[in-house]
Amino acid sequence: MNTRSELIQYLLRLGDSALVQGQRLCQWCGRAPALEEELALMNVGLDLVGQARNWLDYAAELLDDGRDADHLAFRRDERAYRNLLLVEQPNGDFAVTMLKQFLYDAWHLEVLKGLAQSSDERIAGIAAKAVKEVTYHLRRSSEWVERLGDGTEHSHQRMLEAIPLLWRFTVELISGDDSENHLHGAGIIADPAQVASAWQATVTRIFASATLPLPPAPSHFYLDARRGLHSEHLGILLAEMQALPRAYPDATW
Amino acid sequence: MYAQLVETGVKSIKPRSEMSEQERAFQEKIDSEIKIEAKNWMPDAYRQTLIRQISQHAHSEIVGMLPEGNWVTRAPTLKRKLQLMAKIQDEAGHGLYLYSAMETLGADRDEEIAKLHSGRAKYSSIFNYPTLNWADMGAVGWLVDGAAIVNQVVLQRTSYGPYSRAMVRICKEESFHQRQGYEILLTMMREGNQAQKDMVQDAINRLWWPALMMFGPSDEHSPNSAQSMAWKIKRQSNDELRQRFIDQTIPQLELLGCTCPDPDLTWNAERGHYDFGEIQWDEFYEVLKGNGPCNQERVATRRKAIEDGAWVREAAVAHARKKTNKNAA
């Protein structure tokens, strides 16, 4: 694979992850535990879908095959989606949602910090803006992990139940592949190994202050979102999200 | 209007001769357009009416997230999705402003929300109608937010300061959403295919009358209006506001190239207003009583959100307490 197609795949990974996570947050609309959370969940989702649009716009330009960001978002099947397995997992209860958000944010912020230094100016520009947003996301989700982990006995128990639901999917956050190492070598993205160790440090710190046990490092389990091998949750999520553009392919909205 | 049929608990307006000195001083302040603030003396019925009206208004913002939430996961482009998410976020914010304004009157947010969940408090009848196609997102923005703005622009001059100031902030954001809603419909009508145009007309057919009902009962059946007007909580009558809404909305409807589902609608040159057909008042009162198409689902969703979230709120309180204790030690 040349750098250009590696970069396209990487942009899809960023954009699809932000979009799918944003879509999951949309499903909370009207169902949050407090009014302040309605506002915050939609606010974070809005940031993420905005970032997704920026990444997919750029991916579409590089693809240069007549598809635009909307086409990429609403007409690709699950086998062509490149989002992290973590973000496509169902919302579950508020513990699952906030833990998922935290595990993603902790990774996302490190990735973006690296991208803000990218030799590709377009990427550096998008990432610089996103870093500000995701700094806020991480602060918020860390606080919730601490509140729930070190809140009541019941909330602690719910966090203990949320961890195994999500933990194995974090294997993707700490394992770079050849193409990412190559993109790093070209000065375009952060060093995946560095992202992994920074992610581990954040998670270790917040789990400790949340009085939650840190599970052992997850191992590969034969799904691989980089190759479009997703869990069964993504297809249904996309069926809902893509229904209108699929039903009316010639429509302008 | 986001607050319909607000009880004042007052059968007839007290003549000035029967007012106490305090009441007279209060009414004089109202008459000379001086805003009432939280710490000022006010008649209990004024306080209670405002609590009912502002809480109803706040509940409407919150329940109003649900018909849109029904489509936020299915918005057809990234731009439309972002717009809708921003709108829903603003609505949650409006709910927060309004509950805060209500709390300046000594009411408790959780208690008022409990009334909503047990069916003792109302919210706008409009949110009991289902959103059945994407054009509903445009029509809700254009017609529903449009009707709300006609009402809220006047409420910027309402006599209670905190409510009036909340309205100023809210109106700015609502106007933006209304234009976006109209633009959704305009795009579908001008650039869309036949199926999309049919969606637009269908959305208007379903939401036109419910939007007119947002202004509340006609003046002759609005027993609480006189007192609310005397207190300048309300500044214009239901029928005046409804007429203004129709007069300003019909040209927009024509620009879309759509029709109005009212065979009696005609321009009356003599009055300088549109004449329009009779609203189905039976339907209005039934929906307000809880017998509309989505009343049960809306309230059940909100109740479930708060019940399911109890452990989260308890955890937040427990954690805050632990932190305070740690800092003190």
Side-chain angles (χ1 to χ4, degrees):
Chain A
M1 231 187 330
N2 60 25
T3 306
R4 186 189 172 92
S5 42
E6 281 171 349
L7 180 55
I8 291 168
Q9 289 299 308
Y10 192 77
L11 290 169
L12 291 177
R13 187 166 179 80
L14 289 171
D16 293 349
S17 296
L19 179 58
V20 170
Q21 178 69 4
Q23 177 75 0
R24 284 289 184 217
L25 293 177
C26 284
Q27 293 172 338
W28 269 99
C29 177
R31 290 159 177 81
L35 198 41
E36 289 78 358
E37 292 310 306
E38 295 285 353
L39 204 64
L41 292 168
M42 204 49 77
N43 188 356
V44 172
L46 186 61
D47 288 343
L48 291 173
V49 176
Q51 291 170 21
R53 182 165 67 164
N54 291 335
W55 297 128
L56 294 181
D57 269 337
Y58 191 26
E61 273 180 45
L62 294 176
L63 277 166
D64 196 24
D65 59 4
R67 289 186 290 176
D68 61 8
D70 281 324
H71 203 117
L72 291 175
F74 295 101
R75 309 284 180 89
R76 269 180 307 145
D77 289 326
E78 58 202 280
R79 292 286 283 109
Y81 255 72
R82 293 290 177 264
N83 62 280
L84 297 165
L85 294 164
L86 177 71
V87 297
E88 73 197 35
Q89 300 312 306
N91 283 334
D93 64 7
F94 199 67
V96 175
T97 288
M98 290 323 295
L99 181 61
K100 176 158 48 117
Q101 185 74 45
F102 164 69
L103 295 171
Y104 171 60
D105 291 343
W107 172 85
H108 199 191
L109 184 60
E110 294 306 325
V111 166
L112 289 171
K113 278 191 202 159
L115 293 173
Q117 309 299 321
S118 177
S119 59
D120 183 320
E121 276 179 33
R122 174 82 172 268
I123 289 179
I126 296 171
K129 181 172 175 285
V131 161
K132 291 181 199 152
E133 295 169 344
V134 175
T135 302
Y136 158 73
H137 302 175
L138 178 60
R139 198 181 72 205
R140 197 184 105 75
S141 60
S142 308
E143 285 173 1
W144 269 117
V145 168
E146 290 169 341
R147 276 189 204 113
L148 299 177
D150 188 22
T152 60
E153 247 174 71
H154 179 74
S155 69
H156 183 77
Q157 189 57 37
R158 289 217 185 191
M159 286 302 278
L160 291 181
E161 286 165 22
I163 294 169
L165 292 179
L166 300 172
W167 190 255
R168 61 199 173 122
F169 300 106
T170 63
V171 68
E172 284 194 310
L173 308 178
I174 51 172
S175 48
D177 66 358
D178 289 347
S179 99
E180 284 169 19
N181 289 329
H182 181 220
L183 287 172
H184 167 59
I188 299 172
I189 71 168
D191 178 2
Q194 216 166 20
V195 169
S197 66
W199 179 85
Q200 261 152 344
T202 306
V203 172
T204 305
R205 180 168 56 83
I206 298 298
F207 269 47
S209 69
T211 69
L212 294 170
L214 194 69
S219 56
H220 180 70
F221 64 113
Y222 313 105
L223 289 183
D224 184 359
R226 287 183 180 96
R227 293 191 292 133
L229 295 173
H230 290 276
S231 61
E232 289 179 345
H233 302 294
L234 184 65
I236 291 165
L237 180 143
L238 293 182
E240 180 182 4
M241 189 175 87
Q242 299 178 334
L244 269 180
R246 296 277 195 184
Y248 305 97
D250 65 331
T252 304
W253 304 96
Chain B
M1 167 118 88
Y2 276 19
Q4 301 151 311
L5 255 186
V6 180
E7 297 288 332
T8 55
V10 177
K11 293 262 182 318
S12 61
I13 299 174
K14 220 184 243 186
R16 206 153 286 229
S17 57
E18 285 174 26
M19 286 180 181
S20 70
E21 209 166 305
Q22 254 178 333
E23 287 173 326
R24 219 176 356 246
F26 173 81
Q27 191 61 49
E28 272 160 22
K29 235 172 133 175
I30 297 271
D31 293 342
S32 45
E33 299 287 332
I34 297 168
K35 292 269 181 270
I36 307 301
E37 297 298 337
K39 288 184 176 161
N40 298 152
W41 184 87
M42 60 188 86
D44 193 50
Y46 176 85
R47 186 186 299 277
Q48 296 310 326
T49 301
L50 271 171
I51 290 172
R52 276 190 290 267
Q53 174 155 343
I54 302 174
S55 63
Q56 217 181 100
H57 199 151
H59 298 335
S60 301
E61 295 283 358
I62 302 311
V63 176
M65 294 164 67
L66 300 176
E68 290 172 337
N70 184 34
W71 280 93
V72 69
T73 54
R74 291 179 287 164
T77 69
L78 293 167
K79 176 178 146 186
R80 294 299 182 210
K81 197 179 196 73
L82 288 164
Q83 285 176 345
L84 197 54
M85 292 171 86
K87 184 175 184 217
I88 292 168
Q89 192 193 340
D90 282 349
E91 279 155 5
H94 296 170
L96 277 177
Y97 295 160
L98 287 161
Y99 284 124
S100 301
M102 181 199 75
E103 286 180 330
T104 65
L105 292 157
D108 179 78
R109 182 181 309 201
D110 295 338
E111 279 172 28
E112 297 306 317
I113 290 173
K115 286 183 196 166
L116 169 73
H117 295 172
S118 64
R120 284 175 293 150
K122 296 191 196 77
Y123 54 91
S124 180
S125 56
I126 190 75
F127 301 120
N128 293 311
Y129 289 86
T131 50
L132 300 179
N133 73 40
W134 170 252
D136 286 23
M137 294 304 99
V140 165
W142 171 48
L143 294 175
V144 175
D145 291 14
I149 291 165
V150 165
N151 176 56
Q152 290 173 165
V153 162
V154 190
L155 283 177
Q156 293 181 46
R157 295 189 296 116
T158 196
S159 59
Y160 187 57
Y163 192 26
S164 135
R165 290 190 288 274
M167 283 302 111
V168 173
R169 295 182 65 172
I170 290 175
C171 277
K172 283 183 198 155
E173 295 179 350
E174 294 275 23
S175 310
F176 187 67
H177 300 154
Q178 198 220 358
R179 282 200 298 277
Q180 272 179 350
Y182 190 66
E183 199 254 335
I184 287 175
L185 300 182
L186 208 54
T187 304
M188 289 174 78
M189 290 304 294
R190 291 193 171 161
E191 297 167 47
N193 58 31
Q194 192 55 46
Q196 290 177 289
K197 290 176 189 175
D198 293 345
M199 284 180 205
V200 175
Q201 186 63 57
D202 176 55
I204 293 170
N205 291 349
R206 283 181 288 107
L207 288 168
W208 176 258
W209 291 106
L212 296 190
M213 292 177 196
M214 290 174 70
F215 295 94
S218 65
D219 292 349
E220 54 183 318
H221 294 109
S222 193
N224 297 291
S225 286
Q227 183 61 72
S228 277
M229 299 275 271
W231 280 331
K232 297 192 179 175
I233 293 177
K234 278 179 87 148
R235 305 299 309 236
Q236 279 181 306
S237 81
N238 295 351
D239 286 335
E240 281 171 337
L241 293 170
R242 185 163 20 238
Q243 182 73 57
R244 178 177 307 160
F245 173 72
I246 291 171
D247 290 346
Q248 76 179 40
T249 304
I250 293 300
Q252 296 165 3
L253 182 80
E254 287 167 353
L255 188 69
L256 282 176
C258 291
T259 59
C260 182
D262 179 359
D264 296 328
L265 186 100
T266 43
W267 175 249
N268 182 330
E270 214 170 295
R271 287 204 308 131
H273 292 293
Y274 282 94
D275 291 335
F276 55 97
E278 187 67 15
I279 289 173
Q280 296 295 315
W281 292 113
D282 290 353
E283 176 177 330
F284 170 74
Y285 288 108
E286 282 301 315
V287 173
L288 222 53
K289 265 197 294 187
N291 302 326
C294 298
N295 296 58
Q296 293 195 25
E297 288 84 349
R298 299 294 189 238
V299 173
T301 302
R302 289 306 306 152
R303 195 190 301 129
K304 187 171 185 325
I306 296 307
E307 284 171 4
D308 287 356
W311 69 272
V312 175
R313 299 189 300 277
E314 283 158 19
V317 171
H319 183 74
R321 199 177 299 127
K322 283 184 190 175
K323 255 185 136 170
T324 314
N325 292 346
K326 230 179 262 173
N327 290 345

